[in-house]
Amino acid sequence: MERITIDVVSDVVCPWCYLGKARLELAIAEVQDEVGVTVNWRPYRLDPDATSDGTDYRSHLIAKFGGAERLDQMQDTLREHGREIGVNFQFENIKVRANTLDAHRLLHWARIEGNELQDRVATALFKAHFEDGLNIADHGVLVQIGEASGLDPAVIGALLASDADKDTVLEEIESAQKMGVNGVPFLIFDGQYAVSGAREPDVVASALRDIANMKAEARKGMI
């Protein structure tokens, strides 16, 4: 069985990224007997100007998207897509426009402990923001998410109180932008092939099969 690594460039306040995560999981489940998949969550910030204590979420989006009616239409579309695959968007619960740098630091530390743990943290961050309306810039919230996912809360609290790995996360974001990433989610397969957007599971599954077949053929040519 061929193995493929997917680097998912995303932001945890991006609704299409939450939708894309659920779709990616369905795609991986579809090919689990054909292709082995490792997923790394990579940082991106859609709203780097957001503050650590947060400002009003809805007012910001109304201004960004040109009115309440347009925003409501977009969010209704996301709710509909989410219901199809078990994502329960609760936009009305979100009060804070949160800076996500510290959330990405938490994901970085989780990845050091393993991909599965990082994936749990990613899911918890998306759920905390989009379903529970929690401020994911708040260190107390991040410590709780880390602990519930399997990280040491004392260690995470101490790291968050410092500047540990801020530069690392910002450098990763800059590298993604230099690669041409200007929107998320953005999936990079084996560092060579890319798919942008929250694609349907069958599209991602097909890409995984195609890349696995190419790797298998290349391996045969080396024998």
Side-chain angles (χ1 to χ4, degrees):
M1 180 185 294
E2 297 296 333
R3 186 150 206 97
I4 296 171
T5 297
I6 305 177
D7 290 294
V8 183
V9 184
S10 73
D11 196 0
V12 290
V13 293
C14 164
W16 288 102
C17 295
Y18 193 12
L19 193 67
K21 185 179 192 302
R23 289 176 173 176
L24 175 60
E25 289 168 353
L26 290 173
I28 292 172
E30 183 178 330
V31 301
Q32 63 182 344
D33 295 330
E34 308 164 57
V35 186
V37 180
T38 299
V39 177
N40 296 315
W41 292 92
R42 302 294 185 180
Y44 196 86
R45 289 198 296 170
L46 288 174
D47 189 12
D49 295 327
T51 60
S52 58
D53 57 347
T55 53
D56 185 71
Y57 177 79
R58 182 170 171 82
S59 297
H60 168 69
L61 292 185
I62 287 172
K64 180 178 180 179
F65 293 114
E69 184 177 352
R70 177 166 169 75
L71 175 62
D72 291 340
Q73 289 173 347
M74 293 172 62
Q75 290 183 340
D76 285 344
T77 298
L78 283 159
R79 284 190 184 93
E80 184 177 342
H81 286 312
R83 279 193 292 268
E84 294 171 358
I85 54 174
V87 171
N88 182 28
F89 286 112
Q90 298 287 336
F91 294 108
E92 65 277 8
N93 290 341
I94 307 172
K95 307 302 179 186
V96 172
R97 172 192 170 202
N99 189 296
T100 57
L101 178 58
D102 288 340
H104 286 303
R105 287 203 291 159
L106 179 64
L107 282 165
H108 171 76
W109 300 323
R111 187 170 76 232
I112 293 171
E113 300 298 322
N115 297 94
E116 290 185 7
L117 195 151
Q118 189 195 34
D119 194 74
R120 289 199 299 272
V121 171
T123 298
L125 285 166
F126 280 123
K127 184 179 184 299
H129 179 69
F130 285 110
E131 299 186 26
D132 301 329
L134 298 176
N135 179 2
I136 55 171
D138 182 271
H139 287 185
V141 171
L142 294 175
V143 168
Q144 289 177 359
I145 288 173
E147 182 177 15
S149 301
L151 293 167
D152 185 320
V155 171
I156 295 303
L159 287 169
L160 286 169
S162 73
D163 288 331
D165 294 309
K166 283 186 179 180
D167 288 345
T168 300
V169 170
L170 292 172
E171 286 168 6
E172 275 202 62
I173 294 170
E174 184 179 0
S175 295
Q177 291 169 334
K178 286 180 177 178
M179 286 173 53
V181 178
N182 55 21
V184 287
F186 193 90
L187 280 63
I188 304 168
F189 298 78
D190 277 349
Q192 301 179 65
Y193 314 99
V195 173
S196 62
R199 299 301 182 94
E200 294 287 351
D202 60 334
V203 174
V204 180
S206 179
L208 286 167
R209 290 189 179 102
D210 289 345
I211 294 168
N213 288 336
M214 285 190 289
K215 291 181 75 169
E217 289 300 317
R219 197 182 306 280
K220 289 178 184 177
M222 295 171 63
I223 298 175

